[in-house]
């Protein structure tokens, strides 16, 4: 992955191309406990985040305040930085 774009609920868009930061986000998602979202209710779906690789392929997920995420139908109990709150 070469780019992380976050569309904050405030309307701000943050583009990150620092490989160390991107790798940290990916490690956090892949290494954190997850559970299915089929019976969960959410007031909102947080910020929209997109990872992009060098071929232009993307993976979009929802990122919440507090570092949690929803990826491919799973709630990820992660601790990702709150990029939109900085």
């Amino acid at each position: 992955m070469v780019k992380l774009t976050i569309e904050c609920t405030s309307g701000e868009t943050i583009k990150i191309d620092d490989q160390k930061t991107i790798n940290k986000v990916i490690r956090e998602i892949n290494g954190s406990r997850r559970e299915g979202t089929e019976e969960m209710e959410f007031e909102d779906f947080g910020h929209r985040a997109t990872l992009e690789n060098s071929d232009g392929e993307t993976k979009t997920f929802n990122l919440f305040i507090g570092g949690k995420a929803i990826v491919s139908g799973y709630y990820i109990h992660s601790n990702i930085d709150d990029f939109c709150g900085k």
Side-chain angles (χ1 to χ4, degrees):
M1 298 296 172
V2 296
K3 183 168 49 171
L4 172 62
T5 304
I6 303 168
E7 298 172 27
C8 302
T9 56
S10 66
E12 177 185 13
T13 299
I14 299 170
K15 296 185 181 197
I16 300 167
D17 59 6
D18 174 59
Q19 199 60 53
K20 184 176 179 180
T21 302
I22 293 170
N23 288 342
K24 183 179 176 184
V25 169
I26 293 170
R27 277 193 309 274
E28 190 65 35
I29 289 171
N30 289 338
S32 296
R33 185 173 65 89
R34 60 189 65 212
E35 61 183 298
T37 58
E38 60 276 349
E39 294 188 21
M40 294 182 172
E41 292 183 24
F42 298 93
E43 290 183 23
D44 63 59
F45 278 99
H47 314 294
R48 182 179 171 93
T50 304
L51 285 165
E52 183 177 331
N53 68 16
S54 58
D55 293 330
E57 298 170 341
T58 61
K59 177 68 176 177
T60 301
F61 60 98
N62 298 86
L63 183 59
F64 294 92
I65 295 171
K68 310 306 184 230
I70 294 180
V71 180
S72 299
Y74 290 97
Y75 183 76
I76 312 295
H77 293 270
S78 54
N79 190 24
I80 299 170
D81 288 339
D82 185 7
F83 298 102
C84 293
K86 290 183 176 181

